[in-house]
Amino acid sequence: MERAFSEGDLALACARGEGRAWAELLRRYDGKVRGALRVAGALEDAEDLRQDVWVRLLANDRAALRRFRGERAGSLPMFIGQVARRVAIDHGRARRLRPPGSGGAEATALPSSAPGPFEQLRGAVRVRRLSAALDAVAAVSGHPARDRDILRLHFEEGWLPAEIAGITPGISARGIESLLRRTRAKLAEVLSDEA
């Protein structure tokens, strides 16, 4: 029986180019990539973008995987989710920058209703505010590091409590749901204080 890879060992083995490790990485996290692309709204080209995520991890002699430092449980799926979101963002940006009439199916499409630069800036500011608010709420909890990771997985990554419980030792899905309920009021308070 082959031994199972821990997250850190799996990333290192993939960075070294081990085929068995790469197959395991795909098996474990391909669903997360699909979910991250769905959350990012990249549904039209999801299959191509999914491949782009894995190609990005292989690019430049697997540089992204060699730089990865997985010091906490759950950091590898978070890292892969971030790569997927970046691929979706880059794809959206490229579609908006493509000049009309440049060929392909887009040439006959209606003008994009994608947000303009000011809306994107406001969205980026909201993301930074949310991230800072999550950190502030987690900092006063009984388990700041664990709770910060849980809150980020849920509010930034879109993970469900059961998914988070699957990678977080010592807390059930019900415990995570309870944490999220308690956090929502505090989070609203922190965000309203900043407004």
Side-chain angles (χ1 to χ4, degrees):
M1 182 173 160
E2 296 179 8
R3 80 175 175 87
F5 287 104
S6 70
E7 286 182 10
D9 291 343
L10 182 58
L12 286 172
C14 286
R16 288 191 300 264
E18 294 180 21
R20 187 174 75 85
W22 186 255
E24 178 67 14
L25 186 78
L26 287 170
R27 185 191 66 73
R28 282 190 198 180
Y29 301 116
D30 194 50
K32 294 291 179 204
V33 168
R34 291 173 193 266
L37 292 172
R38 189 173 53 249
V39 167
L43 298 176
E44 291 175 13
D45 304 313
E47 193 59 31
D48 290 337
L49 294 178
R50 186 177 134 258
Q51 297 299 322
D52 288 349
V53 170
W54 299 115
V55 167
R56 193 169 286 192
L57 289 171
L58 287 170
N60 298 322
D61 195 28
R62 299 170 297 280
L65 287 167
R66 284 188 281 113
R67 284 191 308 266
F68 172 75
R69 299 290 175 257
E71 291 146 3
R72 287 194 191 135
S75 57
L76 185 57
M78 279 183 79
F79 170 74
I80 291 172
Q82 289 171 341
V83 172
R85 278 191 312 285
R86 285 188 200 121
V87 165
I89 289 167
D90 291 349
H91 175 71
R93 190 174 292 137
R95 287 185 72 199
R96 284 190 300 278
L97 294 177
R98 200 172 295 132
S102 63
E106 293 84 16
T108 58
L110 294 174
S112 172
S113 63
F118 293 112
E119 289 82 11
Q120 288 177 347
L121 181 60
R122 279 193 288 272
V125 168
R126 279 193 294 270
V127 167
R128 282 195 299 276
R129 283 185 60 219
L130 175 62
S131 184
L134 291 173
D135 289 346
V137 168
V140 296
S141 74
H143 304 279
R146 181 200 72 185
D147 290 355
R148 182 190 64 237
D149 291 344
I150 290 170
L151 296 176
R152 285 184 175 228
L153 283 170
H154 180 72
F155 289 105
E156 294 179 351
E157 305 286 329
W159 285 35
L160 299 172
E163 293 175 309
I164 298 169
I167 64 164
T168 308
I171 188 166
S172 67
R174 282 186 136 173
I176 290 172
E177 289 169 358
S178 176
L179 171 68
L180 294 174
R181 274 194 303 276
R182 290 190 313 268
T183 301
R184 280 189 178 91
K186 293 176 189 174
L187 194 55
E189 184 180 316
V190 169
L191 289 170
S192 69
D193 288 346
E194 293 177 3

